[in-house]
Amino acid sequence: KNTNYILLEYTKKVTKEEEKESLSKFKCKYHGFIQKHDIFISYRVFCEKDVSEKLFWRLEAFNYQYKTNKKPFLDKYCLNHGNEFTKEFTNAIQNCSIIILLISEDSIKGIENAFNKQDNVLLEFEISVYRYLKGECHILPIYLGKHIDIPEYGRVYKKFNDFDILKYPQSFHFCEESPQYEEEDNNQKTIREVMK
């Protein structure tokens, strides 16, 4: 039996009514009672927390100044503690028209091993690509470099340069919420295909 498809047996299909009911119960911790956001910020907590928060507040300020009425979603400010984390952030990303992917060398390191464990950043990438291919959203990747210390020069900025596609496996993500497990869509993507 092909292990890439084992999760098909356990994946619960969610009807549109169940999805609407789940979304209608959502109350954003920061924006109050809104059922959906417009801009989703995808990031890895341990390395992009500061950048994601600054981006969130810039988008909020822009929204306030220009009255765009575009609500950004950042899990730290928008998710309620004690709720189902994965379910709520996947609901949020599935209802945003713009998805910002903060990508750095550190943020994509764990994705290489996602064939045997769930990786939420990869899950956000998968949902983004899946929705983009269906014409449901726009993706804005932002590549982040980092400051490094070089003895002769001091502290310098190193551009992001880490998209070696061959290091990602031709396997599926080990995650029930991954879009590739929906057989009828025929949009199954391996980890390598998602990272392209």
Side-chain angles (χ1 to χ4, degrees):
K1 189 174 193 177
N2 186 340
T3 56
N4 288 333
Y5 294 99
I6 287 176
L7 289 178
L8 277 172
E9 299 169 4
Y10 304 106
T11 304
K12 179 182 182 271
K13 299 292 183 196
V14 178
T15 65
K16 290 289 182 192
E17 292 78 28
E18 289 173 323
E19 189 177 316
K20 283 181 185 176
E21 180 183 335
S22 173
L23 190 58
S24 68
K25 293 177 184 174
F26 176 73
K27 181 179 179 193
C28 176
K29 187 169 67 171
Y30 177 76
H31 296 107
F33 190 74
I34 63 168
Q35 291 187 339
K36 67 176 240 169
H37 292 78
D38 304 287
I39 304 167
F40 186 93
I41 302 170
S42 171
Y43 70 106
R44 177 100 49 204
V45 175
F46 82 86
C47 54
E48 281 128 23
K49 179 178 171 280
D50 293 340
V51 174
S52 65
E53 289 178 17
K54 288 176 185 174
L55 178 59
F56 177 85
W57 292 117
R58 287 280 196 182
L59 291 169
E60 277 295 309
F62 185 85
N63 182 33
Y64 179 78
Q65 183 178 2
Y66 296 102
K67 310 286 188 251
T68 63
N69 203 28
K70 299 286 184 194
K71 303 279 190 240
F73 177 93
L74 186 68
D75 57 1
K76 177 180 179 178
Y77 300 118
C78 298
L79 289 183
N80 295 290
H81 299 292
N83 291 354
E84 294 180 45
F85 178 78
T86 304
K87 186 176 184 178
E88 286 202 8
F89 87 74
T90 55
N91 270 344
I93 197 169
Q94 290 175 6
N95 289 289
C96 288
S97 58
I98 300 169
I99 300 170
I100 299 174
L101 306 176
L102 298 180
I103 303 171
S104 69
E105 291 176 15
D106 292 331
S107 72
I108 60 176
K109 278 184 184 169
I111 292 175
E112 297 168 33
N113 299 318
F115 62 92
N116 63 8
K117 64 177 181 154
Q118 180 171 327
D119 184 286
N120 286 341
V121 171
L122 177 58
L123 178 58
E124 292 169 359
F125 288 7
E126 287 176 316
I127 294 170
S128 303
V129 169
Y130 178 77
R131 293 191 61 232
Y132 173 78
L133 292 174
K134 291 174 74 176
E136 297 176 351
C137 71
H138 299 284
I139 299 174
L140 176 61
I142 299 177
Y143 301 102
L144 303 171
K146 63 182 174 181
H147 288 94
I148 58 172
D149 293 316
I150 298 180
E152 305 89 49
Y153 299 102
R155 194 158 178 80
V156 297
Y157 183 77
K158 179 184 174 214
K159 285 174 48 174
F160 173 85
N161 190 19
D162 195 32
F163 257 141
D164 177 10
I165 296 302
L166 297 179
K167 71 180 178 181
Y168 299 105
Q170 283 282 56
S171 303
F172 294 124
H173 184 197
F174 187 79
C175 178
E176 289 183 18
E177 289 84 7
S178 293
Q180 76 260 11
Y181 294 107
E182 299 176 13
E183 289 178 290
E184 70 277 358
D185 292 319
N186 230 358
N187 275 333
Q188 296 184 357
K189 301 284 180 206
T190 65
I191 295 170
R192 186 179 297 174
E193 290 170 329
V194 170
M195 295 305 290
K196 281 183 185 177

